[in-house]
Amino acid sequence: VQLQASGGGLVQAGGSLRLSCAASQTTFTTQHVGWYRQAPGKQRLLVAAISSAGNTDYGDFVQGRFTISRDNGKNTVYLQMNSLKPEDTAVYYCNTDLVKVYADMWFARGSWGQGTLVTVSS
């Protein structure tokens, strides 16, 4: 599976960005997909997940600021990020093969791609 993440960049605190991730897989429609992020020296964390049925889960730190969505016709998952904070600075990765482990806990077993860098200045 090839993943092409885009939409990152430099934005001031309070600003918005929309990330996109296009996947090459033909099974996209039946996959649970999501976004993770990794800040320097920190673990990779789940930002948001969306099931094949369109149900969503978010990391606690999102606090209503981000929205994940998917377009199955384009094999693409999006992450709309509003009210960005400097602590949102990270490389954001998409993964198109998630498994729901328990409640809002997900395990990513697919490939990661190159990610897209989001930098939020204060």
Side-chain angles (χ1 to χ4, degrees):
V1 177
Q2 291 186 331
L3 303 173
Q4 186 66 42
S6 61
L10 175 63
V11 64
Q12 288 188 332
S16 299
L17 285 172
R18 188 190 192 209
L19 307 184
S20 300
C21 176
S24 63
Q25 70 207 98
T26 59
T27 59
F28 183 86
T29 300
T30 61
Q31 300 292 120
H32 308 318
V33 301
W35 288 94
Y36 287 72
R37 74 184 189 187
Q38 187 167 20
K42 297 189 176 181
Q43 289 185 327
R44 190 170 296 185
L45 299 175
L46 176 70
V47 177
I50 183 166
S51 73
S52 57
N55 299 310
T56 58
D57 286 317
Y58 295 91
D60 290 341
F61 54 85
V62 171
Q63 297 178 331
R65 300 179 295 130
F66 300 171
T67 302
I68 189 171
S69 61
R70 63 191 296 165
D71 184 336
N72 290 334
K74 296 181 179 180
N75 280 13
T76 300
V77 57
Y78 303 97
L79 184 68
Q80 177 67 43
M81 304 189 295
N82 300 326
S83 303
L84 283 162
K85 305 175 182 180
E87 51 264 43
D88 294 319
T89 295
V91 178
Y92 284 70
Y93 299 89
C94 62
N95 194 292
T96 57
D97 189 5
L98 303 188
V99 176
K100 192 158 193 176
V101 177
Y102 178 76
D104 58 354
M105 294 178 62
W106 294 83
F107 173 75
R109 61 182 181 184
S111 57
W112 288 106
Q114 87 285 0
T116 186
L117 176 63
V118 172
T119 304
V120 184
S121 62
S122 58

